[in-house]
Amino acid sequence: GVLIVELGRQDGKTGKIGKEIHGFGFGAQMHVLTIALSYAFRTGRTLVMRQADNWWYTDARDCPSRSFECYFRPVGACSESAVLEGVSGEVPMLSAATEGERVVYTDCRLDNFLNLRANRVFVPSEVQHRGLLWWRAQLASYLLTPTDAISALVSSEKLRLGWVGEADGGVTGVHVRHGDKKTESSVVPMENYLAAALQIARGRSEAGPSPRQGLHALYISTDDEEALDAAKIWATN
């Protein structure tokens, strides 16, 4: 069988976070996508991404298809168009009632069929000793393999920033959620992020010698200017 995954609404709407059907954050979407791959593995299905999607993390100017595979390598050799050649009528959405269908599709909503507990916690018996986190991490690593073009772009940016080696342990990344996250929960103070980043950096230094010993960079991803200002003050103290 085949499981087709879509990341964006097909009616072209985008809306605002919290109101958009597929308008969840990237992490939440990848959470569901890893469950989809895990489900496909467990049920013997082939996972296929929509070729023409409406993923809101894309820009039609450099990604006309608005699909996952603009930025990440194809999940497999099978394409949606090849699958649909032998299908007549609408493809049903995955549910308890449609599990027996040969071809089904799913979206990335947090309340869909994939998010049933049995699907969320599945780990193959051969690797159960490694745990759920390990299993889902392997799936995420496989799914999020960037295309050659994106890899080249990242390498170029790292070179510009002076991040030469993958194993130098000289960079700690921090994603500060001070935007839409405040609509879901209380905001974590910037001091907490910085304290955790420092703990990670110290742990790396203690793990072994680094080619760039003594030089450590903190990469902060945020839309909060005050968080950046706080980080700059913290770094000078």
Side-chain angles (χ1 to χ4, degrees), residues 184-204:
E184 303 173 354
S185 63
S186 57
V187 173
V188 177
M190 189 60 188
E191 297 76 31
N192 293 25
Y193 283 103
L194 296 173
L198 183 59
Q199 185 177 9
I200 292 171
R202 285 174 174 167
R204 285 179 172 176

Side-chain angles (χ1 to χ4, degrees), residues 2-4 35-36 39-40 43 45 91-101 103-107 109 112-115 119:
V2 177
L3 175 60
I4 300 171
I35 297 176
Y39 175 83
T43 58
R45 289 183 180 273
V91 175
M93 186 170 186
L94 176 64
S95 68
T98 62
E99 272 197 292
E101 298 287 338
V103 180
V104 292
Y105 89 94
T106 185
D107 56 28
R109 289 181 300 160
N112 67 17
F113 179 78
L114 287 172
N115 274 287
N119 297 325

Side-chain angles (χ1 to χ4, degrees), residues 5 19 54 121 125 127 215:
V5 180
K19 297 180 181 179
N54 190 36
V121 303
S125 57
V127 294
L215 176 60

Side-chain angles (χ1 to χ4, degrees), residues 32-214:
V32 180
L33 188 54
T34 58
I35 297 176
L37 183 54
S38 182
Y39 175 83
F41 178 89
R42 178 169 66 84
T43 58
R45 289 183 180 273
T46 298
L47 190 73
V48 174
M49 303 301 294
R50 287 278 193 206
Q51 285 180 278
D53 209 330
N54 190 36
W55 193 25
W56 74 336
Y57 284 106
T58 58
D59 188 326
R61 290 172 296 182
D62 59 29
C63 174
S65 68
R66 303 291 307 277
S67 68
F68 180 80
E69 292 177 357
C70 282
Y71 308 130
F72 301 100
R73 290 183 182 176
V75 176
C78 191
S79 67
E80 180 190 14
S81 57
V83 170
L84 296 181
E85 282 181 4
V87 176
S88 58
E90 283 192 23
V91 175
M93 186 170 186
L94 176 64
S95 68
T98 62
E99 272 197 292
E101 298 287 338
R102 187 181 72 84
V103 180
V104 292
Y105 89 94
T106 185
D107 56 28
C108 279
R109 289 181 300 160
L110 294 175
D111 60 352
N112 67 17
F113 179 78
L114 287 172
N115 274 287
L116 293 178
R117 178 175 172 77
N119 297 325
R120 294 199 316 270
V121 303
F122 168 75
V123 180
S125 57
E126 299 87 346
V127 294
Q128 278 188 349
H129 64 286
R130 293 184 179 273
L132 178 61
L133 178 60
W134 180 90
W135 170 240
R136 296 280 289 281
Q138 308 316 302
L139 300 176
S141 178
Y142 174 77
L143 288 165
L144 299 178
T145 302
T147 63
D148 290 342
I150 295 299
S151 292
L153 185 65
V154 171
S155 296
S156 174
E157 186 66 9
K158 287 174 67 177
L159 186 63
R160 186 183 71 83
L161 294 171
W163 301 353
V164 181
E166 290 289 346
D168 62 16
V171 180
T172 297
V174 181
H175 180 199
V176 180
R177 297 290 302 275
H178 281 179
D180 63 286
K181 194 64 179 177
K182 66 180 64 175
T183 66
E184 303 173 354
S185 63
S186 57
V187 173
V188 177
M190 189 60 188
E191 297 76 31
N192 293 25
Y193 283 103
L194 296 173
L198 183 59
Q199 185 177 9
I200 292 171
R202 285 174 174 167
R204 285 179 172 176
S205 298
E206 293 169 1
S210 165
R212 299 171 67 192
Q213 192 71 43

